[in-house]
Amino acid sequence: MAETAERARQLTDQRAKFEVDDSVAYFNTANLSPLLDSVRAAGEEALARRGKPWTISPPDWFPDVEALRGCFGRLIGATGDDIALVPATSYGLAAVARNLTAGPGDRVLVLDEEFPSNYYTWNRFAERTGAELLVVEREPGQTWTEAVLDAIDERVGIASVPNVHWTNGALVDLQRVAPALREAGSAFIIDASQSLGAMPLDVATLRPDALVAVGYKWLLGPYSLGYLYLDSSLHEGEPLEENWIARAGSEDFSRLVDYRDEYAPGARRFDVGERTNFQLTPMSLAAIEQLLDWTVPHIEATLKGRTDEIVARTETLGLIAPSLEARAPHMVGLEFPPEAARRVAAALAETSVIASVRGSSLRIAPHLHNSQEDIDRLVDAVASAV
Ligand SMILES: Cc1ncc(COP(=O)(O)O)c(C=O)c1O
């Protein structure tokens, strides 16, 4: 019954909307997504317009940016007021770290093998404040959710936890982690780069203090335009820089040197300088509009159908996937025998199957561009190598 409902939510073939051709079978969205035609067209149009600056007048510096904030807000259950536009997660995390306090005796919780932009930010924060960096490891057979819940106590003052581990798609159940952190009195930061756009996430339910995400993976956007959500308790904080456009009244270009103390409302003060980003913003907007049109639950169900099929077919070849409850719907790390590593990498390369091979693990990250032929090609390549 549940399976029938899931199948009913799957989208029909969307490959024609993407810039992919049959020469490759691309399973590396977790690294860099393929581009939608609509996203590329938006970028080309924006570039052409940028070539004619006389067509860009002062009011044009704002509407796309505001539309993008609104669209991203809809995706996570927030409003555009809560969103700042940032070039990278490291920038968003640095802005958050600047506005949190901790000291000796406090702990800052991160996962083992967390993405480096998180690790370095919180490690630097711990060094600066005297807090302790607590790197949570998993015992064999333990899920990330269990490991994180075990590590939370009143000493944890800040926790930076994703809902999907970037290395292999292992899940952290934030619905369980969020209340435990709240009860411990800890700040809660989510790096949703590896899930947003492919898994529903609602900040109104999870109530994190902050969330960061890159735009170029599951959000199908360009590189260098990412997002920072901030709870309203952080809106009055100190930004990393003092760009003119983040100040109140910046819409009036004739009065920019009537310097103002007030910032633009909401989280806007945390925008990176030059956030108008004439070329990239329309691309990001086109991408998120398409995601909202497909809807995230439908994307999720469709990608889950693909990863489930890949897991089922590669399991019979001896590859090991995390259990169904412990893996993300859209990306999965498959363990193969270590002695086959070189052969697997060579077989994939030979048939132009692009996935991420790391040690004796294969990270498969499909999107809606992937066809049944792509899946067959991937499974055949693995079969020839193990
Ligand atoms: C979980 C996660 N966060 C962040 C990033 C990118 O970080 P940044 O935007 O700081 O370059 C990646 C890229 O792979 C990632 O997997």
Side-chain angles (χ1 to χ4, degrees), residues 30-31 87-91 114-115 117-118 166 191 193-194 214 216-217 223:
N31 182 45
T89 63
S90 55
Y91 186 99
E114 176 53 280
F115 191 78
S117 295
N118 291 262
W166 71 287
D191 179 349
S193 300
Q194 287 295 3
V214 298
Y216 63 88
K217 299 180 191 284
Y223 196 68

Side-chain angles (χ1 to χ4, degrees), residues 315-351:
E315 248 167 15
T316 64
L317 302 170
L319 274 65
I320 300 166
S323 67
L324 196 55
E325 326 73 66
R327 70 174 186 252
H330 56 294
M331 62 189 268
V332 61
L334 303 171
E335 292 292 325
F336 52 79
E339 67 277 7
R342 221 172 30 82
R343 291 199 305 275
V344 170
L348 294 177
E350 202 169 298
T351 49

